[in-house]
Amino acid sequence: MRFLCLHGMGTNSNILEAQLGPICAQLEAHGHEFVFIDGQVECEGSDEIKSLFPGPYLCYYPLPTYENVKAAHEYIEEIIDEEGPFDGVIGFSQGAALASSMMLEHAKSNPLNDLFKIGIFAGASLPFDLQNDAGIAQWLSARSRLGATVDIGSLRIRTDGSGITAISDLPSPTSSTSSTPCSSPSLSRTTSDDIVQYDGEFAGELEEDAPGFPTSLDAWLLTGQPLLGRYHPEKTPKARIRVPTLHLIGDSDPYRGQSNSLLKLSAGESTVIRHAEGHRVPRDFQFQKKAALAMERIIHKVNTRHG
């Protein structure tokens, strides 16, 4: 089988190839092929990544606006047309979100034909839904909880229990005047039910030192482009990945909540391998061997099913 491999945000194809090296080596010995594709957008890498690997540090999309995510879909579709076909896809972090988003979008217009036969997701964040532009309201409401006020970067967010009511600049430390509302696009109101469904889902990406925040909030306010919401097993009950999947989830990964939600979005036969580490693919031999064997079993089942 041939696998398309998509890296995480702030890394590149060489880094993912190094992370998956021992797993791929075991499978390449059985004739399987792995094609690693770089994102097209430069972005900042984490301190840990920069200390271990040279750049450039790339992503498939910076802010999750419709235009950015749609462009990423079209870019990967071009890769599939030019270098495919691919039997399966492997995605780490943003690469997993992009791959699963494409699989779910493809299924909407191709109910009898799947984009890939197998999906392998490591340290996955949830996929963005091209038809849902209420992401900023969902993100902020999840962070601020019900009826709360929260400061994110230079912004103060207020909610009244039924939705976001105001976004304002934080007052200067030397200023005694109250903050004034920002000039911002209208927000889709998010109900308390939405907040409960999304509560905890965004751990790992709403921290002030996480990639994209508060930069993405400031950029949204400046550009007026709505940010996409994510597919969610409760909020999008009809959207499901139908092919067999393998999920590699770290118990210490801040994105594990999203990885577990992606597992619930997978309606095909799913295999889960959990590890004790964080947002990475463990390098220890036992884990790599276990992951390779799980992939081999899935490949065998799919090949048997498709004759």
Side-chain angles (χ1 to χ4, degrees):
M1 281 193 171
R2 300 185 76 229
F3 287 86
L4 178 66
C5 304
L6 307 178
H7 61 78
M9 188 173 193
T11 64
N12 58 50
S13 60
N14 291 330
I15 294 174
L16 181 60
E17 189 168 3
Q19 292 171 321
L20 298 178
I23 297 175
C24 294
Q26 295 180 60
L27 294 166
E28 285 169 340
H30 297 281
H32 305 296
E33 181 183 354
F34 301 87
V35 179
F36 294 82
I37 301 298
D38 274 326
Q40 292 185 299
V41 183
E42 288 201 33
C43 64
E44 186 69 18
S46 69
D47 290 340
E48 180 182 6
I49 287 294
K50 289 191 288 187
S51 70
L52 296 172
F53 300 100
Y57 307 108
L58 305 168
C59 63
Y60 298 101
Y61 48 83
L63 292 177
T65 63
Y66 175 86
E67 290 78 8
N68 288 345
V69 178
K70 180 64 174 176
H73 281 216
E74 292 172 348
Y75 168 57
I76 298 303
E77 288 167 358
E78 289 179 9
I79 296 295
I80 294 172
D81 290 340
E82 295 172 2
E83 301 188 32
F86 295 100
D87 302 290
V89 63
I90 300 175
F92 174 76
S93 192
Q94 186 187 76
L98 175 57
S100 53
S101 176
M102 292 184 67
M103 295 167 80
L104 290 165
E105 292 292 333
H106 180 86
K108 291 177 182 177
S109 55
N110 299 272
L112 301 178
N113 179 29
D114 293 302
L115 186 60
F116 301 105
K117 298 175 184 175
I118 298 173
I120 313 293
F121 306 122
S125 54
L126 275 169
F128 287 104
D129 181 354
L130 291 175
Q131 280 71 55
N132 178 1
D133 64 357
I136 192 70
Q138 293 164 349
W139 281 4
L140 296 179
S141 291
R143 177 67 182 263
S144 58
R145 307 290 193 252
L146 295 175
T149 298
V150 64
D151 298 336
I152 303 178
S154 62
L155 304 175
R156 174 161 288 168
I157 315 299
R158 293 185 178 88
T159 69
D160 64 1
S162 62
I164 297 169
T165 58
I167 298 178
S168 59
D169 288 316
L170 281 176
S172 167
T174 59
S175 172
S176 60
T177 60
S178 60
S179 57
T180 57
C182 296
S183 175
S184 63
S186 60
L187 286 169
S188 302
R189 289 188 69 82
T190 302
T191 68
S192 57
D193 288 340
D194 291 329
I195 298 171
V196 171
Q197 287 184 3
Y198 279 82
D199 183 26
E201 178 185 322
F202 302 96
E205 71 181 64
L206 282 180
E207 300 304 320
E208 291 183 21
D209 59 351
F213 278 84
T215 307
S216 60
L217 286 176
D218 294 337
W220 175 76
L221 290 171
L222 289 172
T223 64
Q225 296 185 60
L227 301 185
L228 294 178
R230 297 182 187 270
Y231 284 99
H232 187 276
E234 295 179 21
K235 197 169 183 64
T236 51
K238 294 183 179 180
R240 292 295 182 267
I241 295 171
R242 301 170 299 198
V243 301
T245 55
L246 171 63
H247 303 258
L248 309 179
I249 302 174
D251 291 337
S252 299
D253 188 347
Y255 290 90
R256 64 187 179 278
Q258 293 190 49
S259 296
N260 286 323
S261 291
L262 180 58
L263 174 61
K264 294 177 182 178
L265 281 169
S266 303
E269 183 177 350
S270 298
T271 303
V272 184
I273 300 178
R274 300 187 185 275
H275 57 85
E277 297 189 27
H279 196 56
R280 60 177 58 87
V281 179
R283 297 282 295 175
D284 71 89
F285 175 76
Q286 289 300 324
F287 174 85
Q288 300 263 338
K289 181 179 180 181
K290 189 174 182 180
L293 286 174
M295 287 181 63
E296 195 64 68
R297 290 192 194 100
I298 296 170
I299 291 169
H300 176 72
K301 288 182 180 180
V302 170
N303 282 337
T304 300
R305 188 176 305 154
H306 289 269

